[in-house]
Amino acid sequence: MEESRTDDVGRECNFAFAFNNINFSDRILNLEVIPDPCPQSHSLSPNRKRRRHSLTKEEGAVMDILNFMYGNTLSRTTSAAVLDVLVAADKFEVTSCMKYCSRILRQMPMTCESALQFLDLPSSILTANAIQPLIETAKLFLATHYRDITKFADEVLNLPLVGIEAVLSSDNLLIPSENCVYNFVLKWARRHYPKIEDRQQVLGSRLGGLIRFPYMGCQKLKKVLTCEDFPPDFASKVVLEALFFKTETPYRQWSLAAQDVDTTCCRFVERTYTYRPVKVVEFALPRPRCVVYLDLKKEECVRLFPNARIYSQEFSLGKQGFLLSPRCYEDRQNSSHCFGLFLVMQFKQSVSLHVEYEFFARSKFTLEYLTRCKGNYTLTAGKSVGHRNLFGIPWTEFIADNSHHFINGLLHLKVELTVRQ
C-alpha cells in the first residue's frame, strides 16, 4: 500500500484535488475493521495500559492515511490523533506516512505522559526505522526530566518499565555513585514485581543490564552475589566482569568504554558521579591494610579552582569507612592556591583509629608511583589527615599544559593505609 511521493524528475506530487472527487474517483472503497485476533502482549510489563484503538478511531485513521497519500499532509493536529494515524500507517506499511507522523509528533510539546505513550507503542512500530527519531526524542525527554532521580524518587519509582529503562540508560544521571542506581533498581523491581520469579526475569533480561556494575564499590559487588533478586548466573557474570574491569589500566578501561558506546547498555561508560570511583586492594595480615587508587581527569581538577573539593566513593578498612578528598587549597598567607589531598574517616560514632598513611602520585617521566607524603595519625569520625600542597608547587604550575603530573589527561593517585591498633 506504499505510495510514490515524487514524479520522474524528483518533484513532490500532490493529488489532493482528486481525493474523493467525483471527476476522478469512480470506485467506492468499503473498509471493514476487525479486532486483532492475536493482540501483542508484553509479559514483563505488569498493569500495562495498552493503547486500545476503537474501531471508529482506526477507521478514521485509515481515511487520514488515504488523504495523506493524495495530499502529503494530515488534517489532524493533536498528539493523540496523529498517534492513531501512526499506528494505522504501521499496520498498512505506509512508511512515508509513519515518517511524517514521527516528524509532526517531535515538533509538538513533549510531556512525560506523551513520551511514555510513544515508548509504549507495539514492538512492530518501536523497531521501525521511520520512527526511531521520535523514540530517541522520547527517551531523551524522560532521561533529562528525571535526571536527578533522588529529587523525583517517588515519580521515578512509579514509572512503567519502558520509562525506567529510558531514565537509567542515560550517562548524565545526577547520582552520588552507581551504588545508588543499584539500590534504586532493586527498590523499583520489588515494588512492581512482588513475585521473585518475575523479578529475576526482568532484572536478568532488562533492568540489570542498565546497572554499571564496573563502577560499583567492591563491598556492594559482594552483596550482588548473594542477592536473590538476580538470577545467580547473571550475578556471577556481571560481578566477575566488573572485577576484571577494575584491574585494567585506565587506557584499557577507556578502550572498553569506547567499544561499548554503541550498545543498548553502555555498562563500561562512567557516569558523572558525585563520589569518584576508586579501586581498592585489601590485606588482612599481618595487620589490616589497603591500597586505594583514585584517577582524576584533568578537567575535574580544573573545576576544583578556586576552593572546591570532591570526594571518592567510600572504602572500608578495619570495619571503618573512609573517603579520599582532593581539593584546591587556598594558601592565604602566600596568596596562592595549590592541590591538596586528604583522608577522611566516615563513621559518626565516637571511635578513634590510629593509622599509618602514605600518599603517592604517578610520575609522567618514570610512570611509577612516587611518595608525596606519609605519616601516622589518630583519626576520629569526621576528621581528616593529608597534605595541603601535595606536589609542593603553585596551582598554576600543577594545572599547566606542560604539567608533569598528568598522563594522557589523567592524574593517578594512590593511598596506602594501615591500621596500627
Side-chain angles (χ1 to χ4, degrees), residues 58-85:
E58 194 165 305
E59 180 180 348
V62 171
M63 293 304 297
D64 280 329
I65 293 174
L66 291 174
N67 202 350
F68 172 82
M69 293 170 66
Y70 276 84
N72 303 329
T73 188
L74 294 177
S75 60
R76 300 194 178 199
T77 57
T78 66
S79 175
V82 176
L83 200 55
D84 289 335
V85 178

Side-chain angles (χ1 to χ4, degrees), residues 181-200:
V181 175
Y182 171 83
N183 293 335
F184 198 91
V185 168
L186 284 185
K187 189 173 183 180
W188 185 94
R190 289 166 181 170
R191 172 178 294 192
H192 291 264
Y193 297 86
K195 293 184 178 179
I196 185 64
E197 297 83 3
D198 296 337
R199 195 156 64 243
Q200 285 187 343

Side-chain angles (χ1 to χ4, degrees), residues 24 41 73 132 135 141 156 158 166 211 214 216 227-228 290 305 313 338 344 350 402 421:
F24 300 95
S41 63
T73 188
Q132 287 312 300
I135 301 304
F141 177 87
V156 179
N158 286 320
I211 302 172
M216 287 172 54
C227 180
E228 65 176 6
C290 68
F305 185 86
Q313 290 180 350
C338 47
V344 184
S350 55
N402 61 349
Q421 67 177 37

Side-chain angles (χ1 to χ4, degrees), residues 233-373:
D233 55 341
F234 174 86
S236 300
K237 176 182 179 296
V238 296
V239 170
L240 188 62
E241 181 182 73
L243 294 176
F244 273 118
F245 180 82
K246 288 177 179 294
T247 62
E248 295 285 0
T249 63
Y251 176 79
R252 174 62 178 162
Q253 290 178 345
W254 179 88
S255 297
L256 288 171
Q259 293 170 16
D260 198 56
V261 75
D262 291 329
T263 64
T264 302
C265 170
C266 300
R267 62 194 183 282
F268 294 121
V269 177
E270 182 179 342
R271 307 187 209 254
T272 305
Y273 303 111
T274 305
Y275 297 100
R276 301 295 299 122
V278 293
K279 292 189 289 186
V280 183
V281 181
E282 298 181 48
F283 303 90
L285 298 173
R287 56 179 60 88
R289 175 173 171 264
C290 68
V291 181
V292 185
Y293 296 88
L294 172 63
D295 297 332
L296 298 177
K297 299 175 183 177
K298 189 170 185 179
E299 53 266 31
E300 291 178 305
C301 295
V302 170
R303 290 195 293 267
L304 292 176
F305 185 86
N307 56 7
R309 69 178 68 192
I310 54 179
Y311 292 99
S312 74
Q313 290 180 350
E314 181 181 328
F315 58 93
S316 300
L317 180 64
K319 298 183 179 180
Q320 301 298 313
F322 296 90
L323 300 173
L324 294 180
S325 178
R327 62 173 295 186
C328 178
Y329 178 76
E330 182 180 2
D331 186 350
R332 297 181 179 178
Q333 184 175 0
N334 296 319
S335 299
S336 64
H337 293 77
C338 47
F339 179 85
L341 180 62
F342 297 85
L343 172 71
V344 184
M345 193 162 91
Q346 269 288 85
F347 290 2
K348 295 182 179 179
Q349 59 261 41
S350 55
V351 175
S352 62
L353 195 67
H354 188 67
V355 299
E356 179 182 294
Y357 65 89
E358 187 168 3
F359 291 180
F360 302 80
R362 199 175 177 201
S363 168
K364 186 176 184 178
F365 297 116
T366 65
L367 301 182
E368 300 292 334
Y369 282 96
L370 305 179
T371 300
R372 294 296 175 179
C373 76

